[in-house]
Amino acid sequence: MEKEIIEHGFSFNRRRFLSTMSLGIGSVALGSLLMPDLLKGGGLEEEGLAPGIPHFAPKAKRVIYLFQNGAPSQQELFDYKPKLREMFGQEIPPSVRGTQRLTGMTANQASFPLVGSFVDFKQYGQSQAWVSNLMPYTSKIVDDLCFVRSMYTEAINHDPALTFLQTGSQQGNRPSMGSWLSYGLGNENKNLPNFTVLLSRGVGNGQGVYSKLWSNGFLDSVHQGVQFSKGEDPVLYLRDPDGMDRKERRDMLDKLSELNDLSYQEFGDPEIAAKIKQYEMAYRMQTAVPEVMDLSKESDDIIKLYGPECLVPGTYAANCLLARKLSENGVRFVQLYHQGWDQHGNLPFEITKQAMDVDQASAALVTDLKQRGLLDETLVIWGGEFGRTSYTQGKLTPENYGRDHHPRCFTIWMAGGGIKPGIVYGETDELGYNIAKDPVHVHDFQATVLHQLGLNHEKLIFKHLGRRYRLTDVSGKVVRDIIS
């Protein structure tokens, strides 16, 4: 296959460069100056894959994002606020609440009584980070983690907040973070997609996740996330049809590629070239995906580390183990979504179950990567789309309560990938309602993630409809204090 160059989403090969430009030797000379590799062969380019060139030396090669869909309550997990217990049932002071807008679920409440966590906290590790009793496994790895307690966002409802964190915009149809990384860095493994998505569901109210969250947006479709399912076919339509063997499949793809190439030469649509590459990727994935999905070679120690549920397809534990396998095989961005964190009511019961779903496997993933020597080059992220209010939603009793959405502050943790281990960054006030120190906006977080992979968020740009777009829109700054 002829080498393809991809520039600003437009793909072309040597033949098209020479034939359509029709400028003779002068064009060849100019092309060799502008793109020195244009007339060279070999390497990934021969497979139609453009190698990524980071802006500077990266700290990380890959990302595993453990997204806790529905917004975990920071007061019950990582942001210890004893003052909330002291003020149980008292109205939140107007000076604290300020002008924070409310959701439609609490806007008509006549009272906003404060409620402290039902669960106890302790300090762990050399970092002395506070972790609740709901997270016993996470408490054992705090010295590998960087807790960011001062995240904030503008979005107050799930869909725009989730979309904002994943794509940098509260509206849909923008490229996701995984797509931007694929576009900026290229493939590390030609037999697997650059960006994969895994879904699991917890016990609580499951907020929906939609394919727009792993969309390529206006980037070439080769950068779209590939969803893996828990069924017999982890990637739909990957198998050969009944009656077709591998040779027949290869012959069919070769003929199809010839037809598509003719169409591409006539119309120049980059999506035609992208479709050719997708067919080829699917062909190679027929062998690579079953190998990655096979857990039979995992040791008993690894199964014990993640817990018995890791052998049940579609569970959070199984997806964490699969994320490690995908990442160590060169997948740039592995996105997990675990639904069920939306506890507007019955919070004590539901969050206890939800924490049990994710605690062991999340800690196991960090431990597993570390003992394999992969944590330094893999950035692991854990967190939701916003936080939870310090006051209760609905009826408050000593045994039961709920919490509404709260965009002003929430907690995430990060591990590996050049992030400082064993630190807590940012602070909230004594009631956990406002940020008191070192705020981190969603765009700051995104800029930092890109930075760890060697990408300048201000230079990772795609021109579309006359405008230059980037993941961080027109803002964002790298949070350098958390970088090793």
Side-chain angles (χ1 to χ4, degrees):
M1 181 183 295
E2 287 195 320
K3 172 182 179 177
E4 291 186 334
I5 303 296
I6 299 181
E7 178 71 7
H8 299 301
F10 183 73
S11 305
F12 56 97
N13 56 31
R14 289 171 290 187
R15 178 172 53 192
R16 181 164 178 78
F17 179 83
L18 295 174
S19 63
T20 58
M21 293 300 182
S22 302
L23 295 177
I25 299 300
S27 295
V28 178
L30 176 61
S32 65
L33 288 173
L34 295 176
M35 290 169 286
D37 291 336
L38 183 63
L39 303 178
K40 291 166 60 179
L44 292 176
E45 298 90 339
E46 289 298 314
E47 299 295 329
L49 302 172
I53 303 176
H55 300 130
F56 44 83
K59 301 261 187 182
K61 294 181 179 179
R62 296 165 222 101
V63 175
I64 299 176
Y65 197 156
L66 309 175
F67 202 96
Q68 310 304 313
N69 183 221
S73 173
Q74 70 274 19
Q75 295 93 338
E76 272 70 38
L77 299 177
F78 305 121
D79 200 4
Y80 179 47
K81 295 300 170 187
K83 190 71 173 178
L84 281 178
R85 281 187 171 180
E86 294 177 23
M87 297 183 66
F88 179 87
Q90 298 181 36
E91 286 293 309
I92 184 171
S95 60
V96 173
R97 181 178 158 192
T99 58
Q100 169 67 31
R101 65 192 179 109
L102 306 176
T103 73
M105 291 164 284
T106 53
N108 295 321
Q109 280 189 194
S111 177
F112 297 90
L114 295 168
V115 56
S117 175
F118 73 96
V119 67
D120 292 327
F121 280 69
K122 293 180 182 177
Q123 288 178 288
Y124 295 91
Q126 293 183 352
S127 65
Q128 290 292 283
W130 289 98
V131 179
S132 87
N133 292 349
L134 293 178
M135 294 287 193
Y137 289 92
T138 302
S139 69
K140 297 176 182 178
I141 63 163
V142 292
D143 287 336
D144 293 316
L145 307 182
C146 168
F147 290 97
V148 180
R149 289 184 181 156
S150 53
M151 285 287 298
Y152 73 100
T153 181
E154 288 89 17
I156 198 169
N157 289 309
H158 293 288
D159 185 81
L162 178 56
T163 307
F164 191 36
L165 257 170
Q166 300 294 274
T167 72
S169 171
Q170 294 187 43
Q171 291 77 40
N173 302 317
R174 295 282 186 88
S176 67
M177 190 186 303
S179 297
W180 278 111
L181 285 176
S182 175
Y183 166 68
L185 295 176
N187 285 64
E188 191 175 2
N189 184 337
K190 66 182 181 180
N191 297 323
L192 288 170
N194 234 2
F195 174 21
T196 61
V197 179
L198 306 167
L199 308 181
S200 58
R201 181 182 288 273
V203 297
N205 177 27
Q207 285 295 327
V209 292
Y210 313 101
S211 59
K212 70 174 183 177
L213 299 173
W214 50 92
S215 168
N216 56 293
F218 41 69
L219 300 176
D220 281 350
S221 55
V222 293
H223 303 301
Q224 180 172 327
V226 175
Q227 182 183 344
F228 279 41
S229 70
K230 63 181 179 180
E232 287 187 22
D233 297 318
V235 180
L236 297 178
Y237 314 117
L238 197 60
R239 286 200 217 180
D240 293 329
D242 292 340
M244 174 179 280
D245 59 27
R246 293 285 286 174
K247 183 179 183 306
E248 290 173 320
R249 173 81 166 206
R250 181 69 267 166
D251 291 342
M252 181 272 289
L253 287 176
D254 289 341
K255 293 297 182 184
L256 187 60
S257 180
E258 290 177 11
L259 293 173
N260 281 326
D261 190 52
L262 290 173
S263 296
Y264 178 66
Q265 291 184 56
E266 182 175 356
F267 300 107
D269 183 354
E271 277 302 300
I272 297 175
K275 185 64 68 177
I276 294 172
K277 285 186 282 187
Q278 287 173 324
Y279 288 147
E280 291 297 327
M281 173 65 77
Y283 179 77
R284 294 192 295 268
M285 283 171 62
Q286 286 183 315
T287 299
V289 169
E291 290 179 359
V292 171
M293 298 293 289
D294 182 13
L295 301 181
S296 64
K297 296 179 182 178
E298 297 295 326
S299 69
D300 292 340
D301 287 342
I302 291 297
I303 302 302
K304 183 178 179 180
L305 180 66
Y306 284 87
E309 281 204 338
C310 75
L311 297 177
V312 181
T315 62
Y316 181 81
N319 286 349
C320 282
L321 179 53
L322 181 55
R324 187 221 82 205
K325 290 171 67 67
L326 288 166
S327 183
E328 71 180 341
N329 278 279
V331 176
R332 290 274 187 202
F333 197 94
V334 184
Q335 178 75 67
L336 278 71
Y337 292 102
H338 187 63
Q339 300 169 269
W341 287 99
D342 194 21
Q343 281 98 35
H344 290 273
N346 201 23
L347 183 146
F349 171 78
E350 290 189 3
I351 201 170
T352 299
K353 291 287 190 181
Q354 196 75 4
M356 289 176 63
D357 270 351
V358 307
D359 178 40
Q360 180 176 356
S362 299
L365 176 61
V366 173
T367 302
D368 195 8
L369 290 168
K370 185 177 181 180
Q371 65 191 14
R372 292 170 187 269
L374 296 173
L375 186 59
D376 287 345
E377 63 185 37
T378 308
L379 176 58
V380 183
I381 306 165
W382 190 104
E385 62 266 40
F386 42 58
R388 290 283 164 178
T389 55
S390 302
Y391 56 79
T392 187
Q393 176 179 339
K395 186 178 180 180
L396 172 62
T397 70
E399 295 79 26
N400 203 0
Y401 56 90
R403 298 190 190 273
D404 199 6
H405 309 165
H406 190 62
R408 276 196 181 181
C409 55
F410 61 105
T411 301
I412 68 168
W413 60 251
M414 308 169 77
I419 297 294
K420 287 181 181 177
I423 68 168
V424 177
Y425 185 81
E427 296 177 11
T428 56
D429 62 27
E430 62 182 359
L431 297 180
Y433 198 81
N434 296 297
I435 294 173
K437 181 181 178 183
D438 297 326
V440 178
H441 186 262
V442 166
H443 285 321
D444 301 335
F445 160 74
Q446 293 163 339
T448 305
V449 172
L450 293 180
H451 179 274
Q452 295 309 94
L453 284 103
L455 296 171
N456 184 333
H457 72 106
E458 294 180 338
K459 293 182 179 180
L460 185 62
I461 292 170
F462 189 92
K463 190 172 182 180
H464 174 65
L465 298 178
R467 180 191 162 184
R468 294 179 183 275
Y469 286 87
R470 66 187 212 215
L471 174 63
T472 53
D473 197 35
V474 295
S475 59
K477 61 183 183 299
V478 176
V479 186
R480 299 192 179 275
D481 287 342
I482 69 172
I483 296 174
S484 297

